[in-house]
């Protein structure tokens, strides 16, 4: 048995709605990790404040070093997630995108794949810095290379925002078929209508996006709206 400590804000992320990250670490090492969170004596609920949470680790004989390395790896990944968020809020978005790329590489090597929220963060950042090609690349990677997670409607919406903000929706239109295959939309034309809405309300130049959408609509045989 040994004890480590983590920031309290990491606990919900490590445990998750189904305890996915910690359970995965426990399955890989045979160890168990228990977070000793503070509780409100009146309600019995965990206190959500910024403090350090003790973590008890119990490991089989001979497995302690592997269990500690696994937990340290988890903490390093959470620290990278914090770095991405911090850089994003400090308006150093290009650095945040680089940190996200590092997070993905380290996650793959550590056998802890990224979450959908990680992809939503980077797509949002791409919209802020008008990096539509990078956003499209991340979306394609998510659809084609991630086996444990799949994009949802907000994923596509974030991608449309990146295209509209960039004043270039060519990469978004090129991803349209991929979106229809991998994203569950509530209606047949939702993928198109979301892109149309973001282009219409964007403050970026609309001439190129409008022209691209007219060409795409003509080729698809769909009606062209005003």
């Amino acid at each position: 048995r040994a004890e480590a400590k983590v920031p309290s804000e990491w606990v919900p992320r490590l445990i998750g709605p189904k305890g996915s990250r910690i359970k995965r670490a426990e399955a890989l090492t045979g160890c168990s990790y228990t977070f000793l969170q503070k509780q409100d004596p009146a309600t019995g609920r965990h206190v959500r404040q910024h403090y350090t949470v003790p973590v008890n680790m119990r490991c089989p004989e001979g497995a302690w070093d592997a269990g500690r390395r696994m937990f340290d790896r988890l903490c390093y990944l959470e620290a990278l997630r914090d770095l991405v968020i911090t850089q994003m809020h400090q308006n150093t978005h290009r650095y945040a995108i680089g940190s996200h790329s590092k997070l993905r590489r380290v996650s793959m090597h550590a056998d802890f794949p990224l979450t959908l929220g990680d992809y939503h963060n980077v797509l949002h950042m791409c919209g802020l810095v008008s990096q539509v090609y990078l956003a499209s690349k991340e979306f394609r990677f998510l659809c084609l290379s991630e086996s444990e997670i799949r994009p949802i409607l907000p994923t596509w919406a974030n991608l449309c925002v990146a295209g509209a903000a960039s004043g270039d929706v060519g990469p978004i239109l090129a991803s349209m078929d991929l979106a229809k295959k991998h994203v569950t939309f509530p209606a047949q034309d939702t993928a198109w209508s979301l892109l149309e809405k973001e282009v219409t309300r964007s403050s970026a130049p609309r001439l190129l996006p409008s022209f691209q959408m007219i060409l795409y609509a003509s080729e698809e045989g769909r009606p062209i709206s005003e």
Side-chain angles (χ1 to χ4, degrees):
R1 174 178 173 175
E3 186 176 285
K5 292 183 178 181
V6 299
S8 63
E9 57 266 27
W10 287 7
V11 177
R13 285 151 48 179
L14 288 168
I15 296 176
K18 298 181 181 178
S20 55
R21 293 180 197 170
I22 285 298
K23 285 185 178 179
R24 190 179 186 92
E26 290 175 340
L28 291 171
T29 62
C31 301
S32 64
Y33 306 91
T34 305
F35 296 90
L36 306 179
Q37 295 176 269
K38 292 181 182 178
Q39 288 185 325
D40 185 331
T43 64
R45 296 179 179 178
H46 294 307
V47 179
R48 294 292 182 90
Q49 294 177 343
H50 294 284
Y51 66 94
T52 303
V53 180
V55 183
N56 279 342
M57 296 187 293
R58 297 176 181 271
C59 300
E61 186 176 355
W64 189 89
D65 287 339
R68 183 57 191 251
R69 284 195 302 271
M70 179 66 71
F71 190 76
D72 288 344
R73 201 172 299 138
L74 277 176
C75 290
Y76 179 61
L77 292 173
E78 293 310 311
L80 278 177
R81 286 186 170 90
D82 280 351
L83 178 61
V84 171
I85 294 170
T86 298
Q87 290 173 331
M88 178 178 165
H89 288 305
Q90 290 176 344
N91 293 322
T92 52
H93 303 114
R94 295 185 189 278
Y95 292 107
I97 291 170
S99 297
H100 169 80
S101 297
K102 182 177 181 180
L103 173 62
R104 184 171 68 187
R105 291 195 305 271
V106 174
S107 295
M108 290 175 65
H109 287 298
D111 200 24
F112 285 95
L114 295 183
T115 66
L116 186 58
D118 292 320
Y119 280 97
H120 283 181
N121 281 338
V122 76
L123 290 176
H124 178 64
M125 287 184 288
C126 288
L128 293 175
V129 294
S130 302
Q131 291 286 339
V132 63
Y133 286 92
L134 179 58
S136 177
K137 180 181 177 182
E138 288 290 331
F139 181 76
R140 293 184 65 83
F141 186 92
L142 171 59
C143 290
L144 300 175
S145 301
E146 290 285 9
S147 59
E148 297 190 13
I149 53 177
R150 60 174 296 167
I152 59 176
L153 192 144
T155 318
W156 177 251
N158 276 323
L159 186 61
C160 292
V161 170
S166 300
D168 180 1
V169 297
I172 314 301
L173 294 170
S175 302
M176 189 75 72
D177 289 341
L178 201 61
K180 292 176 180 177
K181 182 177 179 181
H182 292 272
V183 181
T184 301
F185 292 107
Q188 183 177 356
D189 239 14
T190 303
W192 175 268
S193 60
L194 277 174
L195 177 58
E196 193 174 42
K197 182 178 76 172
E198 295 302 335
V199 168
T200 301
R201 72 181 186 179
S202 174
S203 59
R206 301 176 192 170
L207 180 59
L208 177 59
S210 299
F211 183 63
Q212 291 170 323
M213 294 183 75
I214 289 171
L215 287 178
Y216 183 89
S218 299
E219 292 173 357
E220 291 286 307
R222 65 170 62 241
I224 300 173
S225 65
E226 293 182 6

